[in-house]
Structure formats: structure tokens, C-alpha cells
Amino acid sequence: MNWKIKALIQKILSTTKLGDSLNHIPATLNKKYHYNVTFYQAHECIRKFSYCNIDVSTKKTALEIGTGYSLISAIILSIIGFQKIITIDITKDIRFSSYKKQVHYLDHPEILKSIHSVSIFTEQEIISKINEIQKTKTLDSLFKLLNIKYIAPYTFSEVLTYAKEFDYISSQVVLEHVSPEILNDLFQFTKKTIHKDQFCVHTINFIDHFANPGFFQDKSISEFNFLKYSDKYWKYWAGNSIAYTNRLSYLYYLELCKKFDLKIVDFIGDNYRITKKINHKSIHKDILKKYNPNINIEDLTKYQRGTLIISNP
């Protein structure tokens, strides 16, 4: 399906109050949706944490950026050993009914084994905690049990009323939906609030989301198709609250780290799907002007996804 059809639908939906929820419905039609979400969120949460040498046996506070439609990551951070978790988003999309369907899978042996590999708790303690979590009757009771603060919509100033400093900040395929202006604010906020020698881990998707698998996937385009268009043209088609992606490569994030004196511990680039090459000469000048003129233009399409691990030196 031509990407502009999906773009037009999302553009129309973005003008309605329920647009974001309606846009999310197709993903939930898969019978294994909640199972898949739980396993994906658990795996990614544990994978990102495993890159860091954080001792959670003493009081530690975590910040999750981009709660989305699932609390699994925040819950697992608590089971790992964080004593306080703040999870934030621009819209309030968490529903108790979805939470109950997802938390049902938390005691799966594979998930238990993964949590135990990084948690400060024994396997029996983890099982006991999960049993308590599964018995909660409301989101408020869950938040109270695990000392989770859910802020949606959020502002950085409001976040600071609940915690002044953090030992761990993470996000999962969120930053590509954040404008360069807000990214600048986020990295500045990170520099001010992350404890010395503690970690931030962000997994970022760098590809054109109209090429993503699904009913509306445009199979004819490159995963970097969106780099061909001017800012004005792209804003017309995808400059709304549902479809927005910033079209930035990993290079931009590395430069932000340097700008705010954040140490790049590692960047793990990943190409997880078959590549449809783009003619690099077709990349629009509006994209190129976001970078140092001396960059290797091929680096803009080098990775489809990446995990950025940074700390405050």
C-alpha cells in the first residue's frame, strides 16, 4: 500500500481526540498482541539494563521515557531492584485492562529466568513479587506497591518535583518521535539529573515507519525513503502527533552527547531487516544540513536501529 494512504489516514486521525488510540487498534487485533508486548518489553528492558554496571542493592531511581501502552518495563525495573521508578509520556495511554492481560505472562519461565539473571532478588522473591503484582485491582494500587509514578502528559519541570536525580534513564524506540528541539532539552536534562558515572540507555529506530511491517506497510519503498523529501514536504504528510518521526541518524545523537559533555560508553548499531538501498544522491539537502558538512553521507543509512549507552563523566 502506498505510504501516502497511511499518512493521510494518520493525518486525519491526528485531528481527533481519540486519534492516537484509533491508530493503535490494528496492532491489537493480533490474538497474541499482549503476549508479544510482554515478551518484547521484558526482553528489551533487561537487555538495556544488562549493559550497565548499576548496583541496585542500594536505593536507586529510574526514569523511563515513553511509557506507551505498556507498564511491563517499569514493573520489571522494580523487580530488578530499583526502589523508585518514574515513567513518562506525552499522552496517557495506559489502561488497566491491558495491564492485566500483559502482567498475566510475567511468570512465564523464560521471563522469570531473564529477570533473575539481573535482579538483586532470589527467584522465589521474584515469584512472590509477581504474584503480588498480578493480584492488584487498580493501577493506583500497582503504583503504590512498586513506588511507580506515571506522568502523562509530562513536563521536565514536573518530573523534577518527584526526583531531582536519577541513576538510570532509558527509552525504547521513542527518541525518533521526538523533535530536535525537545531532544536538545532531553539531553540537557540528562546532563543535569543523571548521577555521576550512572547510565542512560536509549534504543532508537532510524527508519521510515511507513516501511514497517503491517497492513499499511509500503513494501515498495526503502526503509530510508523519508530522507528524500524536504522538511516542508515531510511536515505536510507526517508532521502530526501520530506519524511524526525526526528522520535523524545515529550521528545526530552522538553529536548531542558531545554538546552536553555526556560520555558515549557505546553505540551498538543494528540492521534487523533486509535492506532496500537508497540512492544517496537523492537524500534531500534539508536532511544534510542537520549534520556536519564533512560527514560520510552513507553513514546516514548505515544503521536501521541502534542502542546508545551514555553516562555522566
Side-chain angles (χ1 to χ4, degrees):
M1 183 178 292
N2 189 287
W3 68 267
K4 291 181 181 178
I5 296 175
K6 181 177 181 180
L8 182 60
I9 292 171
Q10 291 182 325
K11 188 174 183 178
I12 294 170
L13 287 176
S14 70
T15 65
T16 68
K17 189 175 181 180
L18 296 175
D20 189 56
S21 296
L22 293 172
N23 180 66
H24 186 64
I25 287 175
T28 67
L29 297 180
N30 185 326
K31 291 181 179 180
K32 296 185 70 175
Y33 168 75
H34 292 293
Y35 173 91
N36 291 338
V37 166
T38 303
F39 270 75
Y40 171 76
Q41 292 289 344
H43 174 269
E44 288 300 298
C45 178
I46 294 165
R47 177 184 69 86
K48 294 198 299 288
F49 176 77
S50 69
Y51 294 134
C52 309
N53 184 27
I54 300 177
D55 178 10
V56 289
S57 62
T58 58
K59 188 176 182 180
K60 293 292 189 297
T61 300
L63 172 64
E64 178 191 32
I65 299 169
T67 319
Y69 289 84
S70 176
L71 287 167
I72 294 299
S73 291
I75 291 169
I76 287 180
L77 287 175
S78 176
I79 301 173
I80 286 173
F82 283 95
Q83 292 193 14
K84 185 176 187 179
I85 299 99
I86 298 176
T87 181
I88 63 175
D89 212 331
I90 58 172
T91 55
K92 187 170 287 189
D93 295 318
I94 293 297
R95 300 289 180 270
F96 183 72
S97 57
S98 293
Y99 151 72
K100 288 297 285 184
K101 291 174 183 175
Q102 292 169 16
V103 80
H104 168 74
Y105 298 108
L106 264 188
D107 55 3
H108 187 284
E110 186 177 327
I111 294 178
L112 284 175
K113 182 179 179 181
S114 295
I115 296 173
H116 185 238
S117 69
V118 295
S119 176
I120 61 171
F121 301 110
T122 66
E123 185 175 357
Q124 191 53 51
E125 287 174 325
I126 292 170
I127 292 171
S128 177
K129 284 179 177 293
I130 290 174
N131 287 338
E132 281 189 88
I133 291 166
Q134 290 173 332
K135 291 175 182 177
T136 53
K137 302 297 183 183
T138 65
L139 288 177
D140 284 342
S141 62
L142 171 73
F143 295 153
K144 184 176 180 180
L145 175 67
L146 301 183
N147 198 18
I148 293 173
K149 180 61 184 177
Y150 175 44
I151 310 173
Y154 77 95
T155 62
F156 289 123
S157 59
E158 184 178 4
V159 172
L160 289 173
T161 65
Y162 295 99
K164 300 295 184 186
E165 294 180 306
F166 298 96
D167 302 285
Y168 182 65
I169 299 175
S170 69
S171 71
Q172 181 67 27
V173 291
V174 170
L175 298 195
E176 67 266 25
H177 299 289
V178 178
S179 70
E181 295 76 21
I182 302 301
L183 280 177
N184 194 78
D185 293 343
L186 171 61
F187 277 68
Q188 184 177 48
F189 175 86
T190 298
K191 179 63 180 178
K192 290 180 178 178
T193 61
I194 194 72
H195 270 139
K196 183 176 174 61
D197 295 326
Q198 297 302 309
F199 296 88
C200 304
V201 186
H202 300 293
T203 294
I204 312 160
N205 194 306
F206 305 118
I207 73 169
D208 187 336
H209 285 28
F210 292 120
N212 279 345
F215 179 76
F216 291 102
Q217 179 187 12
D218 189 338
K219 297 180 180 180
S220 69
I221 62 174
S222 163
E223 68 272 29
F224 294 105
N225 179 68
F226 59 4
L227 300 183
K228 298 191 300 183
Y229 304 109
S230 69
D231 287 344
K232 183 178 180 181
Y233 188 82
W234 192 251
K235 183 178 180 180
Y236 173 81
W237 284 106
N240 58 74
S241 60
I242 294 177
Y244 179 79
T245 52
N246 57 35
R247 304 193 291 165
L248 299 171
S249 82
Y250 77 102
L251 297 175
Y252 192 91
Y253 298 91
L254 299 186
E255 285 301 317
L256 277 175
C257 292
K258 293 177 184 178
K259 179 179 179 180
F260 291 105
D261 190 30
L262 291 163
K263 179 183 177 182
I264 301 168
V265 177
D266 200 0
F267 174 78
I268 305 167
D270 179 24
N271 291 305
Y272 60 96
R273 51 179 284 177
I274 296 173
T275 297
K276 282 192 174 183
K277 293 186 178 180
I278 185 175
N279 184 343
H280 290 92
K281 292 181 180 179
S282 69
I283 295 178
H284 199 276
K285 62 181 181 181
D286 283 355
I287 296 295
L288 298 178
K289 70 183 182 183
K290 303 176 193 298
Y291 302 93
N292 185 304
N294 296 321
I295 65 162
N296 179 354
I297 193 171
E298 293 186 1
D299 282 344
L300 299 183
T301 61
K302 186 174 183 178
Y303 299 117
Q304 298 167 348
R305 181 175 57 195
T307 297
L308 177 61
I309 307 164
I310 58 181
S311 68
N312 196 4

